[in-house]
Amino acid sequence: MFLLRLFSRLPLPVLYLFSDVLYLIARFIIRYRKKVIDENLKFAFPEKSERERKDIRNKFYRNFTDAFFAETFKMLTISEKELKKRFHVVNQELVDAPVLGGKSSLMMAGHIFNWEMAILGVASNTQVMAETIYLKLNNAFFNKMMLEIRTRLGVS
């Protein structure tokens, strides 16, 4: 974990360079879950051509490696100040107000960005305790790392 923590202290643009290499490996060498991705895209976008779906697949790989690798590892050590520059919650007061009034409130979002950044971003923007639902990972090392990331900045 020490080496990952040290690695995560690199500036995010440098981590994105490593992510670019990982993208090439995942996309062209390992072809990570290519069949599943292609089937899902064909199901989701039957009206699109093979070329259009291939472009979407390539964008998926790029987003996946950036979000999983660069951004998630950065969350191990990102400062609250840097996080607030990168993640902003719009209308957070609409979620906070019911809680401050003694009621429950629920915030939901689409799965189009880095969840780890979102968890920390919401926690650093809210006036109330932020709680998140967590599914334990099968890999003990990554489970520990993700719990460490997800419990930073007051998230429970």
Side-chain angles (χ1 to χ4, degrees):
M1 188 70 77
F2 172 76
L3 291 176
L4 284 181
R5 208 180 272 298
L6 192 62
F7 187 71
S8 77
R9 293 199 179 273
L10 291 170
L12 201 49
V14 174
L15 292 175
Y16 282 132
L17 290 175
F18 284 101
S19 176
D20 289 345
V21 172
L22 198 59
Y23 159 77
L24 294 172
I25 292 169
R27 169 68 182 93
F28 296 105
I29 297 173
I30 298 173
R31 298 167 50 122
Y32 176 74
R33 299 187 70 182
K34 181 184 178 299
K35 185 177 179 181
V36 171
I37 294 166
D38 286 342
E39 287 174 1
N40 287 343
L41 289 174
K42 192 171 187 175
F43 180 73
F45 303 108
E47 76 287 355
K48 295 205 181 284
S49 69
E50 287 293 322
R51 178 75 220 154
E52 289 172 309
R53 288 194 296 264
K54 183 179 179 183
D55 288 344
I56 294 169
R57 182 183 65 218
N58 288 341
K59 289 175 185 174
F60 162 78
Y61 277 114
R62 172 102 30 220
N63 182 60
F64 175 72
T65 56
D66 283 351
F68 172 74
F69 182 76
E71 295 168 2
T72 298
F73 285 124
K74 186 64 179 173
M75 294 305 106
L76 278 167
T77 58
I78 196 167
S79 70
E80 197 166 346
K81 181 180 176 183
E82 184 177 357
L83 179 63
K84 284 187 176 190
K85 282 194 292 188
R86 298 183 178 282
F87 189 92
H88 177 72
V89 180
V90 177
N91 298 326
Q92 181 67 46
E93 66 280 358
L94 296 177
V95 178
D96 290 351
V99 178
L100 293 171
K103 296 183 178 180
S104 295
S105 184
L106 176 67
M107 176 186 258
M108 297 172 60
H111 200 293
I112 55 171
F113 52 83
N114 186 304
W115 279 106
E116 311 319 317
M117 187 181 290
I119 290 168
L120 294 180
V122 168
S124 69
N125 282 284
T126 187
Q127 298 175 20
V128 299
M129 173 62 79
E131 297 180 326
T132 185
I133 298 172
Y134 176 74
L135 180 61
K136 183 179 177 184
L137 301 176
N138 291 330
N139 182 294
F141 176 81
F142 283 110
N143 188 63
K144 181 181 177 191
M145 183 185 85
M146 298 309 284
L147 275 173
E148 192 170 315
I149 289 170
R150 291 173 178 173
T151 55
R152 291 187 66 219
L153 306 178
V155 177
S156 64

